[in-house]
Amino acid sequence: MQAARHVVCALSGGVDSAVAALLLRRRGYQVTGVFMKNWDSLDEHGVCTADRDCEDAYRVCQILDIPFHQVSYVKEYWNDVFSDFLNEYEKGRTPNPDIICNKHIKFNCFFHYAVDNLGADAVATGHYARTSLEDEEVFQQKHIKRPEGLFRNRFEVRHAVKLLQAADSFKDQTFFLSQVPQDTLRRTLFPLGGLTKDFVKKIAAENRLHHVLQKKESMGICFVGKRNFENFILQYLQPRPGRFISIEDKKVLGTHKGWFLYTLGQRANIGGLREPWYVVEKDGVQGDVFVAPRTDHPALYRDLLRTNRVHWIADEPPAALVRDKMMECQFRFRHQMALVCRVLPWGRVPGQWEDPASGAVCLHTPEGQEHVHRGPPGLQQRPRLRSCTLSAWAQR
């Protein structure tokens, strides 16, 4: 008789990862739970719940009767995620640490710990996502070390694993998994991919997991938690006082503690003003933040976005894009933002950038369509010539 497949499940101390481990246990797998500590509370002046989360994860393992391990990636998180987070903010960009954390911590450090140290046949997380592989296909995958350089062996025969959207479209987390490497994705299980959040809670309630069911949803920066963002970031970056200036008449409306604290399109909380104003542009030299009234102000919209190098989950760009030098795609730059149809050109867009970096792409509205996507407030602001990383991720 074949030994039970060994799956190492990342446990956060929350309800989703707890139910993921439970479902794996029900499938007859040998399950091991691992809690990752990625933030050192001794370096933090705010509230850190890592110890409580670890205790909750350990209790889940006790209830499910599975082994429990704790690992610390505080150093790796600081070097690979948080330092990048601070550097990006200092440059005036708004990074997404959850995406970088998944790339470097969960699907790199944790993955290799599970496979190399615990002998896992596969890893699992509580993300709401799916892949194109069935469980047994995942177990048949072998880790293949990528060759040095940008491209893989052209004669190597591989069928890329697809990252697919979850059944619960509201909870779908494929946006945060958009930079997971192909070799890791092909050995990962997502037990919650076909379930809704309500059903996950029901499973938890029926299986003595009340201690995680009662916890609030985790919010805020990955592994750092929910806190006053401005106060938190100014513990690490030097304040740079500046002015809020109206984009319409150049009138000074107020002051702020740092232009890097604001994201293009976000609401700017300007003291003494009743009406909401929104960030249009930032001047890193003078320290000014230009703002506009109303969410439908023309200055908030752009029909063009430049990116840096693309991360293709399948390792290579789609054949249609290579062949035709453009393709239609669905696009979002924020989690839970409605997907919109756009054209993805490959390389230089005439009249825009003479020589974008190798692999650079630009997005623009297909000819004949409206240049502005009129969506709900908060989703319709488009970045203004904002550099970002584009990832080709989930398919329906």
Side-chain angles (χ1 to χ4, degrees):
M1 179 181 292
Q2 185 180 17
R5 300 292 192 177
H6 184 199
V7 180
V8 175
C9 184
L11 294 177
S12 65
V15 64
D16 293 329
S17 60
V19 172
L22 168 65
L23 295 177
L24 293 168
R25 192 88 162 81
R26 283 184 177 179
R27 295 178 191 177
Y29 304 142
Q30 175 193 343
V31 182
T32 297
V34 174
F35 176 83
M36 290 169 274
K37 182 178 181 181
N38 300 321
W39 187 256
D40 192 346
S41 59
L42 296 179
D43 293 337
E44 176 58 47
H45 299 295
V47 177
C48 181
T49 62
D51 292 338
R52 179 188 170 187
D53 289 338
C54 184
E55 292 175 4
D56 289 337
Y58 175 66
R59 189 175 171 189
V60 167
C61 290
Q62 286 183 310
I63 294 173
L64 300 182
D65 191 24
I66 62 175
F68 172 79
H69 293 264
Q70 178 183 356
V71 290
S72 174
Y73 295 126
V74 172
K75 180 180 179 181
E76 291 83 354
Y77 185 88
W78 181 274
N79 292 334
D80 297 331
V81 180
F82 196 66
S83 293
D84 174 78
F85 174 80
L86 295 177
N87 289 336
E88 287 295 293
Y89 261 99
E90 279 194 307
K91 295 174 183 176
R93 297 193 284 259
T94 304
N96 190 313
D98 294 330
I99 293 178
I100 305 303
C101 179
N102 281 326
K103 177 181 180 179
H104 291 292
I105 306 300
K106 282 188 179 177
F107 292 90
N108 183 26
C109 298
F110 163 68
F111 173 79
H112 288 292
Y113 171 77
V115 173
D116 300 334
N117 293 59
L118 302 181
D121 295 308
V123 299
T125 72
H127 287 102
Y128 288 83
R130 298 177 298 124
T131 73
S132 54
L133 296 181
E134 298 294 335
D135 284 14
E136 195 54 40
E137 292 177 297
V138 171
F139 295 129
Q140 293 173 1
Q141 303 298 315
K142 293 183 179 180
H143 177 66
I144 304 174
K145 185 178 180 180
R146 284 182 61 96
E148 295 294 331
L150 183 61
F151 301 103
R152 64 176 176 85
N153 186 342
R154 61 181 296 187
F155 299 107
E156 177 188 344
V157 178
R158 295 182 68 190
H159 300 288
V161 178
K162 297 177 182 179
L163 178 62
L164 307 176
Q165 291 182 338
D168 189 333
S169 58
F170 181 75
K171 287 296 297 181
D172 175 71
Q173 292 174 304
T174 49
F175 180 79
F176 299 116
L177 300 172
S178 56
Q179 291 198 28
V180 173
Q182 174 73 194
D183 287 341
T184 306
L185 188 65
R186 64 175 55 248
R187 297 188 66 181
T188 301
L189 301 174
F190 297 112
L192 307 188
L195 307 179
T196 64
K197 180 72 174 189
D198 288 341
F199 192 63
V200 168
K201 290 181 177 180
K202 183 175 183 293
I203 294 174
E206 294 173 349
N207 289 273
R208 300 183 298 129
L209 296 172
H210 301 285
H211 71 292
V212 291
L213 181 61
Q214 296 168 357
K215 295 177 71 171
K216 293 182 179 180
E217 287 279 318
S218 59
M219 302 291 287
I221 300 172
C222 178
F223 292 116
V224 178
K226 186 177 183 180
R227 64 191 72 232
N228 182 291
F229 177 77
E230 181 175 303
N231 293 340
F232 172 76
I233 206 72
L234 289 178
Q235 293 177 28
Y236 301 93
L237 298 180
Q238 189 71 24
R240 300 179 189 176
R243 304 172 297 175
F244 286 114
I245 299 179
S246 169
I247 196 71
E248 295 186 318
D249 56 13
K250 310 306 178 185
K251 179 182 178 181
V252 176
L253 303 176
T255 60
H256 58 76
K257 296 181 180 179
W259 63 277
F260 52 82
L261 294 169
Y262 298 90
T263 299
L264 300 177
Q266 83 168 83
R267 178 171 176 173
N269 293 319
I270 305 175
L273 299 184
R274 278 188 174 184
E275 299 300 320
W277 289 71
Y278 298 88
V279 177
V280 172
E281 184 61 275
K282 301 183 291 184
D283 185 340
V285 177
Q286 299 297 326
D288 294 330
V289 175
F290 295 90
V291 294
R294 309 185 315 274
T295 59
D296 61 349
H297 195 283
L300 287 168
Y301 295 94
R302 292 294 181 274
D303 62 359
L304 191 64
L305 167 68
R306 185 186 184 184
T307 78
N308 57 21
R309 188 177 300 281
V310 179
H311 171 75
W312 299 106
I313 284 182
D315 282 340
E316 296 181 342
L321 179 59
V322 176
R323 181 186 65 246
D324 302 330
K325 305 305 180 185
M326 66 171 54
M327 73 174 188
E328 286 194 2
C329 65
Q330 291 183 309
F331 169 72
R332 69 161 57 108
F333 58 86
R334 284 175 54 180
H335 175 51
Q336 295 182 343
M337 169 185 170
L339 286 168
V340 293
C341 183
R342 291 292 180 263
V343 166
L344 178 67
W346 182 261
R348 187 173 75 89
V349 176
Q352 296 300 326
W353 297 279
E354 289 303 316
D355 187 21
S358 176
V361 295
C362 307
L363 291 169
H364 67 86
T365 308
E367 186 175 356
Q369 295 187 14
E370 287 186 317
H371 285 270
V372 178
H373 171 62
R374 302 289 181 180
L379 297 181
Q380 58 196 27
Q381 292 83 11
R382 307 276 302 284
R384 182 179 183 185
L385 300 184
R386 171 182 164 190
S387 178
C388 68
T389 297
L390 178 70
S391 299
W393 77 101
Q395 300 185 12
R396 287 183 173 177

